[in-house]
């Protein structure tokens, strides 16, 4: 009986989220396709280098695959890499990195408050814009339309690696029924909070920036 493992289930879920086949993951991770299938279906004992290659292939972190990052702030783990380097990402590369979707953070200023409000949302990238769903009477909906920032990051604290992408622009509610129905059909983003989330919000970026941090052993070539 195939019971699988938490690591295997997380790996399989992330692979499907990225729209990759096992063959494609195997090629990215320099693994045999049969081994990728095995680790998804059983409970393998992986070496640290193999786990690192798998996490990189799935564009996630080792901690996430191991389930060790749910209650730990990003970057709080002990690093195994000295002197990490920071590289600037081009707008095009930024959009590629956030393209698979997932969890991001929407930020905006409410009224006369000095500090911004920042909330997590599940999102998808569609036609160069960020789309997510919110409660029609929630705090995000009450802020739209309005200026907003949107941030996505991925961090591997153990290897001092990761990236962060920041978009700033205009967050607009999708109020036309035809457009909302089209989004529901082609962008089935699933909110991770309970309750009704029947309002689509689209953030159209006018500024895109990002950075990647890599361990000092990586080639010091600037990403473009």
């Amino acid at each position: 009986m195939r019971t699988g493992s938490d690591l295997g289930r997380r790996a399989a879920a992330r692979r499907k989220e990225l729209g990759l086949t096992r063959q494609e993951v195997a090629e990215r991770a320099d693994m045999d396709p049969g081994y990728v299938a095995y680790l998804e279906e059983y409970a393998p004992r992986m070496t640290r280098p193999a786990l690192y290659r798998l996490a990189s292939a799935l564009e996630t972190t080792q901690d996430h695959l191991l389930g060790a990052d749910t209650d730990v702030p990003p970057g709080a783990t002990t690093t195994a890499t000295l002197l990490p380097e920071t590289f600037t990402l081009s707008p095009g590369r930024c959009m590629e990195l956030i393209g698979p979707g997932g969890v991001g953070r929407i930020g905006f200023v409410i009224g006369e408050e000095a500090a911004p409000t920042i909330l997590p949302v599940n999102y998808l990238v569609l036609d160069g814009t960020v789309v997510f769903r919110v409660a029609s009477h929630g705090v995000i909906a009450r802020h739209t339309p309005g200026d907003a920032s949107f941030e996505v990051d991925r961090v591997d604290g153990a290897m001092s690696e990761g990236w962060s992408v920041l978009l700033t622009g205009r967050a607009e509610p999708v109020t036309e029924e035809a457009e909302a129905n089209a989004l529901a059909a082609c962008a089935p983003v699933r909110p991770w909070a309970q309750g009704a989330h029947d309002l689509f919000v689209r953030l159209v970026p006018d500024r895109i920036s990002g950075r990647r941090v890599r361990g000092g052993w990586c080639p010091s070539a600037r990403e473009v």
Side-chain angles (χ1 to χ4, degrees), residues 185-199:
C186 70
V189 59
R190 297 178 298 171
W192 59 308
Q194 293 183 341
H197 295 75
D198 50 6
L199 177 66

Side-chain angles (χ1 to χ4, degrees), residues 197-219:
H197 295 75
D198 50 6
L199 177 66
F200 279 96
V201 174
R202 184 195 304 273
L203 185 138
V204 181
D206 54 36
R207 187 169 58 194
I208 303 170
S209 61
R211 296 187 303 170
R212 181 189 285 279
V213 176
R214 282 178 169 169
W217 50 268
C218 292

Side-chain angles (χ1 to χ4, degrees), residues 94 123 125-126 147 168 173 223:
C94 289
Y123 76 95
V125 174
L126 184 65
D147 295 330
T168 58
E223 290 208 35

Side-chain angles (χ1 to χ4, degrees), residues 17-107:
E17 183 181 349
L18 294 175
L20 298 174
T21 65
R22 288 174 172 174
Q23 177 70 39
E24 290 169 328
V25 171
E27 291 174 357
R28 286 185 172 196
D30 192 24
M31 294 176 174
D32 186 273
Y35 181 67
V36 174
Y38 176 80
L39 71 86
E40 287 187 2
E41 297 170 2
Y42 295 93
R45 299 187 61 169
M46 300 186 69
T47 64
R48 195 68 178 184
L51 179 61
Y52 175 76
R53 298 200 310 274
L54 178 64
S56 297
L58 294 173
E59 299 175 18
T60 186
T61 67
Q62 300 170 66
D63 284 344
H64 178 71
L65 292 179
L66 293 172
D69 60 352
T70 55
D71 295 317
V72 178
T77 54
T78 301
T79 178
T81 306
L82 299 177
L83 301 177
E85 297 177 278
T86 301
F87 305 93
T88 299
L89 299 172
S90 68
R93 181 55 177 153
C94 289
M95 295 305 293
E96 289 178 3
L97 287 171
I98 70 171
V103 176
R105 300 172 186 86
I106 183 77

